[in-house]
Amino acid sequence: MANTPHGKDAILKDLHVRDAPIQATLLQESNTLADIRLTERQLCDLELLLNGGFSPLEGFMNQADYESVVKTLRLADGVLFPMPITLDVSAAQVEQLKIAPGVRLALRDPRDEAALAIITVEDVYKPNKQVEATNVFGADDSAHPAVNYLHNSVQEFYIGGKVQAIAAPQHFDYVALRYTPAELRAYFKKLSWKRVVAFQTRNPMHRAHRELTVRAAREQQANVLVHPVVGLTKPGDVDAFTRVRVYQEIIKTYPNGMAALALLPLAMRMAGPREAVWHAIIRKNFGCTMFIVGRDHAGPGKNSQGKDFYGPYDAQELVTKYKDELHIEMVPFQMMSYVPSADNYQPSDQIPAGVQTLDISGTELRNRLKTGAPIPDWFSYEAVVKVLRESYPPRNKQGFTIVLSGLVNSGKDAIGRALQVSLNQQAGRSVTLLLGDTIRHELSPELGFTPEERHKNLLRTAFVAAELSKAGAAVIATPIAPFENSRQALKQYILQHGGPGGGTFFLVHVATPLEYCEKTDRRGVYKRARAGEYKGFTGIDSPYENPTNADLTVDLSKQSVLEIVHSIVLLLEGSGLL
């Protein structure tokens, strides 16, 4: 028998079923209402609100529930719920949409603007983000991805209120693997699965994970639900498409009838202990009776002081603390190590001292994928490795971005053109040259040269470069990029979006002196800038902030273009890209 849903009444809050009789009326009404276009996180949250995954919630938290959850891990009525589920809006939206208690708003899918639900506003309130960060995530430290998101992406106001369901978000990928709580409960009932242990993951699975879950199933006399997150995970994680292909291969290795695979559209917060309790509640709502809690469960890594945000067993301890309210049994994650002499995986704490063990860390695995180094059979399955190599080609097949930053007439464009020829001669990948003037003309003709407009232009360059490098191209960009904060934003965007597992970025500072640039200026732009014809001209009446972290610094007044191109090629070769 499936586990009872979370909450005092133990009823699954499937709003689609509840509101089905008035769905057509709600849809018609939505066309007359002001609307909110949801963010990606809000979309994930709404999907699980509507299908009951977040039971007993029936909407986004009002101020009383929010403040209670932040302070006590409980809703205002005392029910355990550790994670704030909030709908954030800007001050401009509050004013323009006249958001106030009693107002009804349509919530729309950002992908196709379909109306998904209607919220009746109970209150509009301004959260204390510092308190939220400290209480929920353990520290107000922007090294934590959720804290960074809270301070830089979440808007100033939250609106609370219950929602009515119009439609579920439409998915086009892996539809057969997407189950609502009601559907998964029906699946368990059909197969007579009475004891189900859920395995949460946001990473690819390998032999150790398979052995861990099989061991848990045997010890608990249960079936296994592999329930990976395919909503928002930690920046830099393996993309969901690749991971699902891995899960589809790994599920074939289980004994017939032991395990099932279902996808969870959750936006993770990486909140460690609180997140583990939240995950347990969600799996309880999906009908599972047991839940595997790992070492450093949902941990985000290191804080700004280089220490782990959470202790290795903090999550297990918090779940244990609330076990009498959760009513879902925790199965502690056992670290599994490969024992060559026995040719199997065993719990690390059960291996006698002195016995040889083998392990491959996540960092080492990523390095092996990048370099094309072999991945041993004892670590993973051939089919899994094949999927990962298809998505993560070796280093010499990956795209990358080189930014040549410097003054007008510093030679950055000439170097870029010559480098493009040199890389085309190497063959193996397409090469794209994004000249600063071309990007300005094609992407940003409406922008001027204020620091804010320069920043916006550089972010557009970052978007184009990331899309190209993600597809395996070598990208050479030659913006002036005079400001350090904009260069850092460019770099971070490409590192995050420029390739599987993160992009590759190089900054070359073309440090040709202003005097030389001006002396060799055949177009006369410096002369016109000094005459006041151009305003905000870098080097004349607008500064160029010298990079402090360039990968290479060159100077056309002292080096030839050929010498500089050769030094860049050596940089690429030393990084394994050529």
Side-chain angles (χ1 to χ4, degrees):
M1 179 179 177
N3 207 343
T4 56
H6 190 60
K8 289 183 176 180
D9 57 9
I11 295 174
L12 185 70
K13 306 299 183 181
D14 189 331
L15 306 189
H16 294 295
V17 173
R18 185 198 69 184
D19 298 332
I22 58 171
Q23 187 266 347
T25 302
L26 291 172
L27 179 60
Q28 186 175 9
E29 181 188 0
S30 70
N31 293 323
T32 68
L33 300 175
D35 50 52
I36 294 174
R37 195 168 181 235
L38 300 172
T39 65
E40 191 173 358
R41 177 193 277 192
Q42 292 167 349
L43 181 66
C44 290
D45 287 351
L46 180 63
E47 181 167 2
L48 288 167
L49 282 171
L50 296 180
N51 66 25
F54 285 170
S55 294
L57 302 187
E58 297 181 53
F60 291 96
M61 290 181 182
N62 58 28
Q63 187 170 6
D65 280 331
Y66 164 76
E67 291 181 349
S68 180
V69 166
V70 167
K71 293 176 183 176
T72 70
L73 288 81
R74 297 181 183 280
L75 299 171
D77 65 1
V79 172
L80 180 69
F81 203 95
M83 197 63 58
I85 306 299
T86 55
L87 181 62
D88 59 294
V89 292
S90 66
Q93 285 177 296
V94 172
E95 182 178 354
Q96 292 168 6
L97 304 180
K98 296 179 172 57
I99 301 175
V103 169
R104 286 169 65 79
L105 300 164
L107 304 181
R108 294 189 177 273
D109 192 320
R111 302 165 300 174
D112 58 10
E113 298 188 349
L116 303 178
I118 293 175
I119 183 171
T120 301
V121 178
E122 293 179 20
D123 54 12
V124 182
Y125 56 100
K126 192 168 187 176
N128 186 323
K129 293 185 179 181
Q130 288 74 28
V131 170
E132 180 177 339
T134 302
N135 287 12
V136 177
F137 305 111
D140 189 12
D141 185 340
S142 288
H144 192 299
V147 174
N148 183 58
Y149 184 90
L150 177 66
H151 287 306
N152 295 304
S153 299
V154 173
Q155 302 296 333
E156 311 97 288
F157 290 93
Y158 293 168
I159 59 175
K162 292 187 176 181
V163 297
Q164 293 172 290
I166 296 175
Q170 187 171 12
H171 295 285
F172 300 98
D173 59 319
Y174 307 115
V175 176
L177 297 176
R178 295 179 180 272
Y179 293 83
T180 67
E183 290 168 344
L184 206 50
R185 287 168 171 273
Y187 180 83
F188 295 158
K189 183 178 181 180
K190 180 178 181 179
L191 297 181
S192 297
W193 285 13
K194 296 183 179 180
R195 293 173 58 81
V196 182
V197 56
F199 180 64
Q200 144 86 27
T201 183
R202 56 171 237 272
N203 295 311
M205 291 176 66
H206 301 286
R207 286 185 185 271
H209 305 101
R210 188 264 188 194
E211 294 304 317
L212 164 72
T213 51
V214 168
R215 179 180 289 265
R218 288 172 180 159
E219 291 178 354
Q220 302 297 328
Q221 291 296 294
N223 292 91
V224 175
L225 174 68
V226 178
H227 207 202
V229 171
V230 293
L232 292 180
T233 60
K234 183 181 176 183
D237 280 352
V238 174
D239 69 276
F241 297 103
T242 298
R243 289 191 290 112
V244 175
R245 291 196 294 271
V246 165
Y247 304 140
Q248 288 176 315
E249 294 298 335
I250 206 92
I251 208 75
K252 298 174 186 176
T253 70
Y254 285 83
N256 188 37
M258 176 182 283
L261 170 64
L263 308 183
L264 180 68
L266 178 70
M268 289 184 66
R269 271 59 163 185
M270 307 304 298
R274 279 194 184 229
E275 184 117 357
V277 175
W278 187 38
H279 288 176
I281 290 171
I282 293 168
R283 273 36 184 245
K284 177 185 176 183
N285 286 330
F286 274 84
C288 300
T289 56
M290 288 162 283
F291 178 55
I292 295 173
V293 178
R295 185 179 184 275
D296 191 26
H297 186 98
K302 305 292 184 183
N303 63 20
S304 56
Q305 282 76 48
K307 298 180 180 179
D308 290 333
F309 272 96
Y310 313 115
Y313 303 108
D314 287 356
Q316 294 179 1
E317 291 171 2
L318 195 65
V319 173
T320 300
K321 177 181 177 179
Y322 292 112
K323 65 178 181 180
D324 293 337
E325 295 177 74
L326 285 170
H327 299 295
I328 181 170
E329 184 179 346
M330 181 185 73
V331 179
F333 186 102
Q334 300 170 323
M335 293 296 294
M336 306 291 287
S337 295
Y338 178 70
V339 181
S341 59
D343 190 27
N344 64 15
Y345 277 85
Q346 299 178 21
S348 300
D349 59 356
Q350 296 179 19
I351 300 172
V355 174
Q356 181 192 17
T357 62
L358 297 175
D359 291 291
I360 291 179
S361 68
T363 300
E364 183 180 351
L365 174 63
R366 287 189 290 273
N367 288 337
R368 290 185 183 226
L369 289 170
K370 280 188 174 182
T371 61
I375 297 172
D377 289 341
W378 61 259
F379 176 77
S380 194
Y381 296 92
E382 182 180 352
V384 168
V385 174
K386 181 175 182 291
V387 169
L388 291 173
R389 290 207 185 280
E390 287 171 351
S391 295
Y392 292 80
R395 189 78 166 155
N396 63 356
K397 299 294 183 184
Q398 295 172 17
F400 57 85
T401 297
I402 297 174
V403 170
L404 302 165
S405 171
L407 298 171
V408 174
N409 201 44
S410 61
K412 56 187 178 62
D413 287 359
I415 296 166
R417 291 189 179 95
L419 181 60
Q420 181 185 34
V421 171
S422 179
L423 294 179
N424 276 327
Q425 183 175 303
Q426 299 269 350
R429 27 166 106 75
S430 62
V431 184
T432 298
L433 176 61
L434 303 176
L435 293 174
D437 287 346
T438 303
I439 288 291
R440 272 272 173 187
H441 183 266
E442 298 296 335
L443 292 184
S444 306
E446 83 287 5
L447 296 180
F449 293 90
T450 66
E452 295 76 18
E453 289 171 310
R454 288 179 183 272
H455 184 82
K456 184 178 290 187
N457 176 63
L458 205 58
L459 290 182
R460 292 176 182 178
T461 302
F463 172 78
V464 174
E467 291 298 303
L468 290 167
S469 63
K470 185 164 56 179
V475 182
I476 306 162
T478 68
I480 297 172
F483 300 117
E484 181 66 20
N485 69 313
S486 296
R487 290 192 296 262
Q488 285 300 315
L490 167 71
K491 177 179 180 179
Q492 291 305 315
Y493 187 91
I494 291 171
L495 289 178
Q496 185 171 340
H497 301 286
T504 300
F505 176 89
F506 299 96
L507 175 63
V508 177
H509 177 204
V510 185
T512 308
L514 174 62
E515 296 77 15
Y516 186 89
C517 297
E518 198 165 357
K519 177 182 175 181
T520 58
D521 175 24
R522 296 179 59 83
R523 294 185 296 165
V525 291
Y526 280 98
K527 182 178 180 180
R528 290 195 289 274
R530 289 197 180 276
E533 295 181 32
Y534 300 144
K535 300 297 183 183
F537 194 92
T538 303
I540 303 301
D541 60 348
S542 182
Y544 181 90
E545 299 173 357
N546 288 329
T548 58
N549 59 347
D551 297 285
L552 185 67
T553 300
V554 299
D555 182 347
L556 198 62
S557 71
K558 299 176 182 178
Q559 300 167 271
S560 68
V561 169
L562 192 59
E563 287 174 320
I564 293 171
V565 167
H566 182 63
S567 64
I568 296 173
V569 168
L570 290 177
L571 175 66
L572 296 172
E573 193 277 334
S575 300
L577 291 162
L578 298 179

